[in-house]
């Protein structure tokens, strides 16, 4: 059978001027030439000088009522610094481009995407993360409301949702359902727990006003 194949190749060589084996070896040689040429062009494209490491700046952030000094690169986002430099991993990162809201924190009382905020921009601001809503070992009222209303499934969006609600209630302590929908519209929940999230926001408003629980 192998013999037949060789005969076939040789016949093909007679008619086309190149055998299958010859074709493969030529292609191999061509590929080697291309590889050598690519390597040569990649080497010629290499920068002749090594890039300098970006200098770090020492900044002070006020996070959850505490002043924290941290060395940052100017390009670092607040979400990166909170999580990777300060260990506040309650702040989640989803899209990292201002679409999902998982990274929401309060900056001067307003919900903000920390993935779209540079750490150096937040130096003079009051930053609150989900950890800062705790009352010692106890949950704060908005956190408590999310637990009570079972307002999460996987929980990845939950920190951002809680801070969006917290910020909304800071501006409007008694929102209507439509106002709640608008208030958390910058926060996506891919588990689709919206109905419970809206109920949690209503419950958080009650708890903050001392209705049916401690404020
Ligand atoms: S991670 Fe910041 S908006 Fe999605
Ligand atoms: S609970 Fe899973 S994304 Fe909202």
């Amino acid at each position: 059978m192998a013999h037949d194949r060789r005969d076939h190749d040789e016949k093909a060589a007679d008619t086309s001027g190149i055998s299958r084996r010859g074709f493969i070896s030529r292609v191999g040689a061509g590929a080697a030439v291309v590889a050598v040429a690519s390597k040569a062009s990649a080497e010629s494209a290499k920068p002749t000088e090594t890039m300098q490491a970006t200098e770090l700046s020492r900044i002070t952030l006020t996070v959850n009522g505490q002043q924290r000094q941290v060395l940052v690169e100017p390009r670092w986002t607040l979400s990166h610094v909170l999580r990777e430099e300060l260990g506040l991993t309650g702040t989640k990162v989803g899209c990292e481009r201002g679409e999902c809201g998982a990274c929401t924190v309060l900056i001067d009382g307003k919900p903000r995407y920390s993935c779209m905020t540079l750490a150096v921009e937040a130096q003079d601001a009051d930053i609150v993360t989900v950890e800062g809503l705790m009352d010692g070992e106890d949950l704060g009222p908005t956190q408590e409301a999310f637990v009570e209303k079972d307002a999460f499934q996987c929980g990845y969006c939950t920190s951002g949702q809680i801070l969006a609600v917290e910020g909304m209630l800071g501006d409007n302590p008694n929102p209507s359902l439509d106002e709640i929908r608008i208030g958390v519209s910058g926060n996506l929940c891919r588990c689709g727990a919206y109905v419970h999230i809206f109920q949690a926001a209503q419950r958080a408003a009650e708890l903050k006003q001392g209705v049916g629980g401690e404020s």
Side-chain angles (χ1 to χ4, degrees):
M1 198 62 187
H3 228 69
D4 294 340
R5 188 93 175 226
R6 200 157 47 240
D7 290 349
H8 174 80
D9 283 348
E10 277 154 11
K11 278 188 198 137
D14 290 339
T15 53
S16 67
I18 176 169
S19 70
R20 178 173 167 273
R21 197 171 304 137
F23 173 76
I24 290 169
S25 68
R26 284 190 196 196
V27 168
V33 169
V34 169
V36 168
S38 309
K39 187 161 181 261
S41 93
E43 276 171 2
S44 67
K46 272 186 192 163
T48 48
E49 291 176 12
T50 310
M51 281 182 65
Q52 297 295 315
T54 310
E55 281 188 17
L56 297 174
S57 308
R58 184 179 298 280
I59 63 170
T60 303
L61 296 175
T62 306
V63 185
N64 300 331
Q66 290 187 331
Q67 294 213 320
R68 308 285 300 267
Q69 288 209 337
V70 61
L71 288 170
V72 302
E73 286 187 23
R75 67 189 173 93
W76 284 358
T77 61
L78 181 58
S79 55
H80 171 85
V81 171
L82 290 171
R83 288 177 53 82
E84 308 301 332
E85 304 298 315
L86 300 180
L88 295 168
T89 54
T91 299
K92 303 301 181 200
V93 175
C95 66
E96 220 170 358
R97 56 184 186 188
E99 290 179 358
C100 73
C103 64
T104 302
V105 298
L106 296 184
I107 297 182
D108 289 336
K110 307 286 183 205
R112 294 282 182 254
Y113 295 153
S114 60
C115 75
M116 300 296 287
T117 306
L118 294 175
V120 293
E121 289 180 292
Q123 284 186 81
D124 299 319
D126 187 20
I127 302 158
V128 176
T129 69
V130 73
E131 291 90 345
L133 300 183
M134 297 290 292
D135 180 11
E137 291 297 305
D138 296 329
L139 297 177
T142 306
Q143 294 165 315
E144 184 64 47
F146 270 70
V147 174
E148 197 179 307
K149 294 297 178 185
D150 200 16
F152 45 83
Q153 289 182 37
C154 77
Y156 201 79
C157 72
T158 308
S159 300
Q161 303 279 4
I162 287 173
L163 284 154
V165 169
E166 188 77 16
M168 173 184 62
L169 295 179
D171 276 345
N172 179 2
N174 198 16
S176 66
L177 182 55
D178 278 347
E179 288 170 331
I180 289 171
R181 285 197 179 110
I182 293 167
V184 298
S185 60
N187 292 69
L188 304 181
C189 174
R190 71 178 181 177
C191 297
Y194 293 109
V195 171
H196 290 243
I197 290 167
F198 301 156
Q199 290 172 356
Q202 289 173 315
R203 182 64 182 143
E206 290 175 0
L207 289 176
K208 281 175 173 284
Q209 291 172 52
V211 179
E214 293 175 12
S215 64

